[in-house]
Amino acid sequence: QVQLEESGGGSVQAGESLRLSCSASRYFDNMGWFRLAPGKEREGVATLNQAGKTIYADSVKGRFTISRDIAKNTMYLQMNSLKSEDTAMYYCAADVWWFGSGDFRFDYRGQGTWVTVSS
């Protein structure tokens, strides 16, 4: 049974940082993060493939960094210079298909972790 578990969310002030973690039950070639804010559609945030290639949404480029520790089956999202518009539920996903815009597709996701940014 595939399990993805996020951690690291919380409430911060604008300009501060958070690091999200996603612990997976096994290795996946392609993983990523998406977010869902109240009243908004699902938005892809970042993906990372087996070759280490990363893709980011324009809204987070230069502020967020996706990475992973393969030995630990853990993926991370370092979020710096957070803005109020980053407030959302952040989900870890595996077996993802996304090219920086448009629909963020995946086979597996976690339960999510809330990120609240106050201005």
Side-chain angles (χ1 to χ4, degrees):
Q1 182 180 359
V2 172
Q3 289 186 319
L4 300 172
E5 183 174 359
E6 304 92 340
S7 61
S11 297
V12 297
Q13 296 291 316
E16 295 184 341
S17 299
L18 280 174
R19 188 176 82 154
L20 305 183
S21 298
C22 171
S23 177
S25 56
R26 64 172 176 87
Y27 172 80
F28 294 92
D29 281 346
N30 302 305
M31 297 189 72
W33 295 90
F34 69 93
R35 63 189 181 186
L36 188 60
K40 295 185 178 180
E41 295 184 351
R42 182 172 66 209
E43 179 186 15
V45 175
T47 60
L48 175 65
N49 72 7
Q50 72 276 20
K53 179 180 179 180
T54 58
I55 299 174
Y56 295 94
D58 287 344
S59 59
V60 306
K61 280 180 182 176
R63 300 188 298 122
F64 290 11
T65 303
I66 188 172
S67 63
R68 66 175 166 183
D69 185 330
I70 293 176
K72 297 181 178 179
N73 283 337
T74 300
M75 179 177 63
Y76 305 98
L77 185 68
Q78 177 67 43
M79 305 186 295
N80 298 330
S81 302
L82 282 161
K83 305 176 180 180
S84 57
E85 50 263 45
D86 295 318
T87 294
M89 180 78 89
Y90 283 72
Y91 295 89
C92 164
D95 284 351
V96 303
W97 293 267
W98 184 65
F99 302 99
S101 62
D103 195 20
F104 185 100
R105 300 182 179 183
F106 55 91
D107 282 347
Y108 308 99
R109 67 163 176 86
Q111 294 300 306
T113 185
W114 264 108
V115 171
T116 303
V117 184
S118 301
S119 58

